[in-house]
Amino acid sequence: MKVLQIIDSLDAGGAERMAVNIANELQAAGHESHLCVTRKEGLLKTAISKEVGYIFIEKKGN
């Protein structure tokens, strides 16, 4: 299974922590896991497994 999660930021919050945890666990379970951050990188970036696909879009404005 291929999974892509999209989230606004990687600031230390509940939804952000869950997105990182889910991405890491899916990858560990043998799925193709990716995480897309649209606006702001943050503290949780270092918690993303190296095997998880990661992209930062750096969207500005609305």
Side-chain angles (χ1 to χ4, degrees):
M1 174 171 47
K2 295 180 182 183
V3 179
L4 170 65
Q5 295 183 82
I6 301 172
I7 194 151
D8 243 8
S9 78
L10 285 178
D11 287 337
E16 294 85 353
R17 169 62 67 188
M18 287 301 298
V20 170
N21 288 345
I22 291 169
N24 289 341
E25 288 299 318
L26 285 170
Q27 186 68 39
H31 302 287
E32 191 175 323
S33 180
H34 304 274
L35 189 59
C36 174
V37 179
T38 59
R39 294 182 190 273
K40 183 179 175 191
E41 294 182 305
L43 295 173
L44 294 176
K45 183 178 179 184
T46 60
I48 301 170
S49 171
K50 301 223 183 297
E51 291 80 27
V52 172
Y54 176 79
I55 187 168
F56 177 50
I57 296 176
E58 200 171 359
K59 184 176 182 211
K60 306 279 189 221
N62 293 333

